[in-house]
Amino acid sequence: MTSGPTSPDPSANPKWAELAAAAAAVPTIRDLLDADPGRPARSTVSAAGITLDFARQQITPQALAALIELAEKQGVFDRRTAMFAGEHINTTEDRAVLHTALRLPRGARLIVDEVDVVSEVHEVLDLMGNFAKSVRNGKWRGATGKRINAIVNIGIGGSDLGPAMAYQALRDFSKRDMGFHFVSNVDPTDLSEVLRSLDPARTLFVIASKTFSTLETMTNGRAARAWLVSALGEKAVINHFVAVSSNRELVEKFGIDSKNMFGFWDWVGGRYSMDAAIGLSTMIAIGPKAFSQLLAGFHAMDKHFETARADQNLPVIMGLLAVWNRDFLNISTNAVLPYSQYLSRFPAYLQQLTMESNGKRVRLDGTPVTYQTGAIVWGEPGTNGQHSFYQLIHQGTSPVACDIIVIAQSDNPLGDQQNMLIANALAQAAVLARGRTIDEVAADGTSKELAPHKVMPGNRPTSVISAPRLDPFTLGALIALYEHSVFVQGALWGINSFDQWGVELGKKVALGILAVIDGQADMSTVDVATAHSIEVLATQGRA
Ligand code: G6Q
């Protein structure tokens, strides 16, 4: 750990008390909207093809300005500069945090720890590009000479969620005569269900693991290898397995030719790696050209985040609104509601990005926080969610902040369906923000007894995030928007958004318990509750 990371306590800053007082007196969203017809236009900012409309957030312009001042005083913008420059801002792991370098254009210059980062990034992108092309055009063949028609990405967490989300999001840009599958769970069902429909002679496995030692990925990788070898023999492995990793030694040990390994660096965190080599399956799906458009979208949002003034800066505004909702309005959860079927895995992706990054309870210097940090993030695509959990958002007792994501144009126009989709998104945004008063309910002729049941309190802070079309560029920009919003939140809270000790512990503890279950360690090595559960599962026929 580098010495002496600074992390001033934001709640000790006089601006914090000022913001708390502002929150106590803030009008309802309905009142804010009704008092100021110019509010929607003034609360809308666009960059990199994405528009953020935060008119339905419960905040005054003065409070937003105070948040910006607090961010300035907390060193959020200096930390942003340090991140882009490759300083080791991930202090607990002594690493730079440079996912923004993954999308720097060819020819840009960034030297970090005496290494020309941009050349290295483009070297790997070129290797990936050649490989992706050869799989797509059939030059790369399986061991029996057949073309590959199925790609199976085996990875978990950051080595799965990004590629799985991006494939789903960009399906319309994908090579439709190939199948793309994502296996992550160590539950044997995950791999088995994927393999049952595949032909070994036409299947290519991408083993995606930064460390190449993650239990789930290595176990599924070995099982996939055994499946292939039993059909085609040991020699076929070289034609049917490639690796994405930063651990050459373990890749070779697995039997994968290191020529077929696509590397990345310790300055790319797992959850920030879908635009590094972890995106290999995405690149095979959409082709190298579309992948470079995806990177261009990320880069456009990076540039905007780096250079735009704070009050026009989408990630800064979104990040500060998240802090406002969490700490000053005391809202503990944020629903991400994409009105796009293509974005159906986006909430799951954001769960990792936001909760693994900002689920932290001590500041950089190790002192405990005395305020709330990362919100709980979850969601499902609209309109599906409307017919289930939206009920709680509308009338439950816990307020939920909402991000409604709308894509204006459909790639699959069908009658009036796209208009219906958009109408539903805007209807929900209106009701969440404004609610429905008892007088409005009564005006419908509803009886006195029934009326209270039909009242909606509203006042659910809602942002509408929109874009003309969901293409690779837009997806890149959208992801970068959330990445940097997460950064702003973490920097203001003074926490390290780039480590994940909770996740690491889970990996370690599971190995100890596995040793007990497999009879290689004594029951006394686990706690009494775990020992009891192991015994209960044994009586239930655990294998
Ligand atoms: C991401 C996390 C975690 C990680 C997985 C897979 O930020 O660290 O989700 O991506 O545990 O790790 P490997 O890529 O090393 O297998």
Side-chain angles (χ1 to χ4, degrees):
M1 182 158 163
T2 51
S3 61
T6 52
S7 51
D9 177 352
S11 67
N13 190 301
K15 281 276 156 209
W16 191 274
E18 191 187 305
L19 284 159
V26 71
T28 63
I29 301 170
R30 180 187 275 248
D31 286 347
L32 285 167
L33 288 166
D34 289 349
D36 179 8
R39 180 178 169 92
R42 269 187 285 99
S43 309
T44 300
V45 280
S46 300
I50 310 269
T51 297
L52 167 69
D53 172 357
F54 59 96
R56 302 173 191 82
Q57 292 283 337
Q58 193 185 9
I59 191 166
T60 61
Q62 294 76 13
L64 183 57
L67 276 166
I68 291 173
E69 278 180 58
L70 176 64
E72 179 83 57
K73 292 204 165 105
Q74 285 304 112
V76 171
F77 305 120
D78 294 341
R79 195 163 162 81
R80 173 182 63 185
T81 307
M83 175 175 76
F84 276 96
E87 284 179 32
H88 285 209
I89 62 165
N90 176 356
T91 45
T92 58
E93 296 178 314
D94 193 11
R95 287 177 185 166
V97 174
L98 265 181
H99 42 280
T100 51
L102 298 169
R103 45 261 192 165
L104 281 172
R106 203 182 290 276
R109 213 175 138 66
L110 180 66
I111 308 290
V112 172
D113 300 335
E114 293 167 30
V115 174
D116 177 355
V117 168
V118 185
S119 303
E120 287 201 354
V121 164
H122 281 273
E123 222 170 89
V124 175
L125 282 172
D126 289 344
L127 284 175
M128 289 166 64
N130 289 337
F131 179 73
K133 264 189 224 151
S134 70
V135 175
R136 286 165 63 87
N137 67 21
K139 275 202 188 123
W140 180 282
R141 299 265 161 162
T144 63
K146 289 190 179 161
R147 271 181 90 128
I148 299 297
N149 73 354
I151 306 291
V152 182
N153 186 84
I154 298 183
I156 196 163
S159 301
D160 166 73
L161 286 159
M165 177 276 289
Y167 170 63
Q168 185 61 31
L170 300 176
R171 234 182 148 125
D172 200 39
F173 297 80
S174 72
K175 199 161 157 42
R176 298 280 192 177
D177 57 358
M178 291 181 80
F180 292 83
H181 309 271
F182 298 87
V183 172
S184 53
N185 201 332
V186 77
D187 179 342
T189 299
D190 201 6
L191 181 67
S192 307
E193 283 295 338
V194 165
L195 294 185
R196 56 193 306 147
S197 61
L198 301 185
D199 173 1
R202 306 192 64 187
T203 300
L204 177 74
F205 293 95
V206 177
I207 310 292
S209 174
K210 183 173 164 179
T211 55
F212 228 72
S213 58
T214 302
L215 174 84
E216 293 91 331
T217 303
M218 290 305 109
T219 308
N220 277 323
R222 279 192 294 272
R225 194 181 190 285
W227 175 80
L228 185 101
V229 167
S230 74
L232 303 177
E234 189 70 32
K235 280 198 181 134
V237 170
I238 199 163
N239 298 68
H240 293 269
F241 279 83
V242 297
V244 176
S245 185
S246 54
N247 195 331
R248 184 172 299 271
E249 201 187 318
L250 291 183
V251 167
E252 283 174 350
K253 216 165 154 196
F254 185 92
I256 295 177
D257 188 340
S258 58
K259 279 205 306 280
N260 300 327
M261 167 181 148
F262 302 88
F264 60 119
W265 308 268
D266 71 354
W267 42 259
V268 187
R271 54 195 173 277
Y272 297 89
S273 66
M274 60 162 289
D275 47 342
I278 291 291
L280 184 64
S281 61
T282 315
M283 197 192 258
I284 299 172
I286 64 174
K289 211 165 146 207
F291 195 83
S292 67
Q293 287 157 2
L294 177 77
L295 296 181
F298 272 102
H299 181 63
M301 188 57 79
D302 293 345
K303 273 271 143 245
H304 167 75
F305 176 51
E306 200 180 1
T307 57
R309 44 182 266 210
D311 64 354
Q312 296 295 311
N313 193 311
L314 272 72
V316 170
I317 295 170
M318 247 174 82
L320 294 178
L321 288 171
V323 171
W324 170 258
N325 288 336
R326 187 73 193 92
D327 287 296
F328 299 101
L329 299 186
N330 204 17
I331 299 175
S332 57
T333 174
N334 185 192
V336 178
L337 310 166
Y339 280 73
S340 161
Q341 193 59 28
Y342 282 132
L343 288 175
S344 57
R345 294 291 288 155
F346 196 55
Y349 176 77
L350 288 186
Q351 273 178 348
Q352 179 186 32
L353 178 66
T354 58
M355 291 165 73
E356 197 171 4
S357 297
N358 286 340
K360 307 288 161 64
R361 53 190 302 282
V362 296
R363 282 194 295 276
L364 291 171
D365 60 8
T367 53
V369 299
T370 49
Y371 40 86
Q372 300 293 335
T373 60
I376 297 160
V377 172
W378 52 284
E380 281 286 325
T383 57
N384 297 5
Q386 288 177 209
H387 298 264
S388 65
F389 58 81
Y390 277 43
Q391 170 58 36
L392 183 145
I393 310 182
H394 284 301
Q395 291 188 303
T397 50
S398 297
V400 179
C402 300
D403 287 0
I404 291 190
I405 302 175
V406 186
I407 306 295
Q409 300 164 38
S410 173
D411 285 321
N412 302 290
L414 202 58
D416 201 27
Q417 287 189 216
Q418 179 67 7
N419 285 346
M420 291 180 193
L421 183 68
I422 291 176
N424 271 281
L426 297 183
Q428 292 300 323
V431 179
L432 288 167
R434 302 183 65 88
R436 200 149 182 262
T437 64
I438 191 106
D439 291 344
E440 286 167 343
V441 175
D444 280 353
T446 306
S447 71
K448 237 174 142 186
E449 293 70 37
L450 195 52
H453 298 274
K454 293 193 165 188
V455 169
M456 312 282 149
N459 226 21
R460 280 32 184 162
T462 301
S463 288
V464 176
I465 298 161
S466 61
R469 206 187 152 207
L470 186 63
D471 54 17
F473 184 95
T474 305
L475 182 68
L478 185 64
I479 298 165
L481 168 61
Y482 276 95
E483 283 179 350
H484 298 318
S485 163
V486 164
F487 172 90
V488 168
Q489 297 165 48
L492 194 142
W493 286 321
I495 57 178
N496 185 357
S497 301
F498 302 104
D499 59 10
Q500 54 284 315
W501 298 106
V503 170
E504 318 275 340
L505 179 66
K507 292 184 182 186
K508 209 169 133 200
V509 174
L511 290 178
I513 296 177
L514 181 62
V516 175
I517 293 176
D518 286 347
Q520 283 154 11
D522 196 80
M523 199 63 110
S524 64
T525 58
V526 295
D527 69 275
V528 286
T530 304
H532 176 69
S533 296
I534 291 173
E535 276 157 10
V536 169
L537 286 160
T539 66
Q540 292 169 343
R542 166 182 54 72

